[in-house]
Amino acid sequence: MTSVIPSQEWWTAEEIAAGGLADLPATRQGVDALLKKQGWRGDPEHARRRAGRGGGWEYHWRLFPSRAQRQLLLHAKGAPEPVVRQSRDEAWAWYDALPQAVKDKALTRLELLQQVEALEPALGRYLAVETVARSSAAGERTLWSWLALIEGVRPDDRLPYLAPRHRAAARRGRSLDCDPEFFDLLKSDYLRLAGPSFTSCYRRAV
């Protein structure tokens, strides 16, 4: 299972204030008030005394609000690439033509993401993703990529964007035009009384 982790995991109060992160105070005093109110230092897994010169405390990014966590993850190594998305009408038209087996996969993905969203208010998005990944066959990296697919999409429009997109399926719907002159040349050669093979006729035509 591959995790997406920010380049900086532990932050001092000064770094948090200067970080410009969503929903976090921009002053040292504001950060101190927030961490006291939320009891960050009472969480030994995510708060620790800073080693080395100066001492003090530092705090793990998982304590941050969901939007701040997401902001860090967007800049993390291995974070999903931005998605080029179809319009709503195009997505539904494409989805309606899919086999039921593919639609079922989209529904399974949607249900897993709904579990993430149900846990997010209590755990934050990162821990919610981690929790769902542990209890399902989908890895954290996969869940993050699915979340990227539906970023900004209305809840009732998510299914088309979560359906697997196989390149082979797209290719099956294409047809290639054949040059009429080439086809006539190939046909006339192949229909000769000598009965040449199609392969030899094709080679002569090209």
Side-chain angles (χ1 to χ4, degrees):
M1 183 183 299
T2 303
S3 299
V4 181
I5 300 174
S7 56
Q8 180 176 347
E9 296 185 66
W10 292 92
W11 297 65
T12 65
E14 291 86 352
E15 289 171 335
I16 294 171
L21 297 171
D23 301 328
L24 283 171
T27 65
R28 168 63 188 271
Q29 292 78 10
V31 173
D32 285 340
L34 175 68
L35 65 89
K36 288 178 182 177
K37 180 180 179 181
Q38 297 188 354
W40 286 8
R41 291 184 185 176
D43 184 345
E45 291 187 8
H46 299 111
R48 67 187 185 188
R49 288 195 176 275
R50 187 181 182 189
R53 185 177 180 181
W57 286 79
E58 55 186 3
Y59 309 94
H60 198 271
W61 70 284
R62 293 186 187 181
L63 291 171
F64 297 173
S66 296
R67 289 207 305 156
Q69 292 186 24
R70 190 181 312 174
Q71 187 176 343
L72 290 172
L73 288 169
L74 286 175
H75 296 89
K77 182 178 180 180
E81 295 293 329
V83 176
V84 178
R85 185 177 292 142
Q86 289 177 306
S87 70
R88 180 177 185 270
D89 291 342
E90 289 173 338
W92 277 111
W94 174 80
Y95 178 82
D96 288 340
L98 292 175
Q100 187 58 45
V102 178
K103 293 180 179 179
D104 290 343
K105 289 182 179 180
L107 182 59
T108 298
R109 294 178 177 187
L110 179 61
E111 290 171 345
L112 288 174
L113 296 188
Q114 288 172 337
Q115 292 178 33
V116 171
E117 292 177 334
L119 294 171
E120 187 174 351
L123 302 179
R125 175 157 289 195
Y126 183 91
L127 286 178
V129 168
E130 186 178 69
T131 300
V132 173
R134 283 201 303 264
S135 63
S136 71
E140 290 180 45
R141 180 74 174 84
T142 299
L143 290 172
W144 282 112
S145 69
W146 293 347
L147 285 166
L149 290 175
I150 60 168
E151 183 73 27
V153 176
R154 286 176 12 183
D156 56 339
D157 282 335
R158 290 175 171 179
L159 273 176
Y161 299 99
L162 290 171
R165 295 175 178 267
H166 301 297
R167 294 179 182 177
R171 287 198 296 269
R172 282 198 297 270
R174 297 180 187 171
S175 61
L176 298 177
D177 293 330
C178 179
D179 186 289
E181 292 183 5
F182 172 83
F183 182 75
D184 288 340
L185 177 62
L186 179 62
K187 182 174 66 173
S188 62
D189 192 12
Y190 182 69
L191 294 177
R192 286 186 297 118
L193 292 177
S197 68
F198 180 82
T199 301
S200 64
C201 295
Y202 180 82
R203 287 174 178 169
R204 283 192 291 271
V206 297

